[in-house]
Amino acid sequence: MKQRKLVVISAGLSQPSSTRLLADQLSAAAATAAGKLGVTLDVQVVEVRDLAHEITDHMLTGFPPAVLKQAQDEVAAADGLIVVTPVFSAGYSGLFKSFFDVLDQDTLRDKPVLLAATAGTARHSLVLEHALRPLFAYLRTVPLPTAVFAASDDWGANSVEGPLRARIDRAAAELAREVERREPATVADPFALTESFEDMLKSL
């Protein structure tokens, strides 16, 4: 079995939250879909709510606290991402955006990303296309074709077999295929020498 790393970024503000519930269902579906392709997913969850103070400290000082640095490293090492935000004022939450603001440039380059959002009403579903997709295109990720939106009504008795379940399974299958066909992510060592010591001496 191939081994790949999936990082789930959940920006719900309450505990529990519908945002985390959707994130968990998406990651479980992705793990199932990946298993059918011969891939075992190591799933790590980043709860942005728990990093709120650290994100602010990083923005003010320019240096990430240890717990935030660990989350940043997990994202950098991910083979695929699931990102889920609640909708506020017809857009992604400020805390959600702030997490991505403090990532190093090119951290997300070419990573496949499953986009998802939650809100109280389906009227906010376009946030996936007019807010989330442009953001992750700008960050040079590879947003998957199927994004998943869940309104309060989607969590009813028919959620197990209803339209939300179908969207979850379709998006998860797309993510699994993208992760399976790619080489494992590699993280460059910022302290690694780009040339040998002998070559550096020759250039003096």
Side-chain angles (χ1 to χ4, degrees), residues 104-155:
D104 290 338
Q105 186 179 10
D106 295 332
T107 295
L108 301 178
R109 181 191 286 270
D110 296 330
K111 292 187 186 294
V113 179
L114 194 169
L115 308 174
T118 60
T121 171
R123 289 178 295 178
H124 293 295
S125 60
L126 288 178
V127 72
L128 293 168
E129 303 304 325
H130 73 66
L132 277 177
R133 196 172 295 279
L135 171 63
F136 284 90
Y138 174 79
L139 294 172
R140 288 174 284 191
T141 69
V142 182
L144 298 176
T146 301
V148 179
F149 178 86
S152 297
D153 291 344
D154 288 315
W155 300 112

Side-chain angles (χ1 to χ4, degrees), residues 2-203:
K2 295 180 180 179
Q3 302 286 329
R4 295 292 187 271
K5 183 172 184 176
L6 175 66
V7 172
V8 182
I9 300 171
S10 172
L13 296 182
S14 60
Q15 289 183 329
S17 69
S18 59
T19 300
R20 178 59 187 267
L21 177 60
L22 180 57
D24 288 345
Q25 292 201 9
L26 286 166
S27 61
T32 298
K36 295 177 180 178
L37 299 175
V39 177
T40 298
L41 291 182
D42 174 18
V43 180
Q44 303 290 328
V45 179
V46 174
E47 274 284 6
V48 183
R49 177 185 185 274
D50 297 337
L51 300 172
H53 293 291
E54 288 78 8
I55 290 171
T56 302
D57 289 344
H58 187 7
M59 286 183 163
L60 294 175
T61 67
F63 298 97
V67 65
L68 176 59
K69 183 62 166 63
Q70 180 181 355
Q72 292 173 327
D73 290 345
E74 288 178 352
V75 171
D79 297 295
L81 298 172
I82 295 173
V83 300
V84 192
T85 179
V87 175
F88 294 114
S89 301
Y92 39 70
S93 76
L95 184 58
F96 175 83
K97 176 61 162 54
S98 295
F99 177 79
F100 294 99
D101 286 341
V102 298
L103 291 179
D104 290 338
Q105 186 179 10
D106 295 332
T107 295
L108 301 178
R109 181 191 286 270
D110 296 330
K111 292 187 186 294
V113 179
L114 194 169
L115 308 174
T118 60
T121 171
R123 289 178 295 178
H124 293 295
S125 60
L126 288 178
V127 72
L128 293 168
E129 303 304 325
H130 73 66
L132 277 177
R133 196 172 295 279
L135 171 63
F136 284 90
Y138 174 79
L139 294 172
R140 288 174 284 191
T141 69
V142 182
L144 298 176
T146 301
V148 179
F149 178 86
S152 297
D153 291 344
D154 288 315
W155 300 112
N158 65 342
S159 62
V160 176
E161 299 293 340
L164 176 59
R165 183 74 253 170
R167 294 196 299 271
I168 289 173
D169 289 342
R170 183 167 67 249
E174 291 173 0
L175 179 60
R177 287 193 295 270
E178 280 294 318
V179 169
E180 188 277 334
R181 74 179 186 84
R182 295 165 178 263
E183 292 298 318
T186 57
V187 180
D189 182 354
F191 301 105
L193 295 176
T194 57
E195 58 181 336
S196 68
F197 184 68
E198 291 79 7
D199 288 339
M200 286 191 287
L201 289 176
K202 292 176 183 177
S203 65

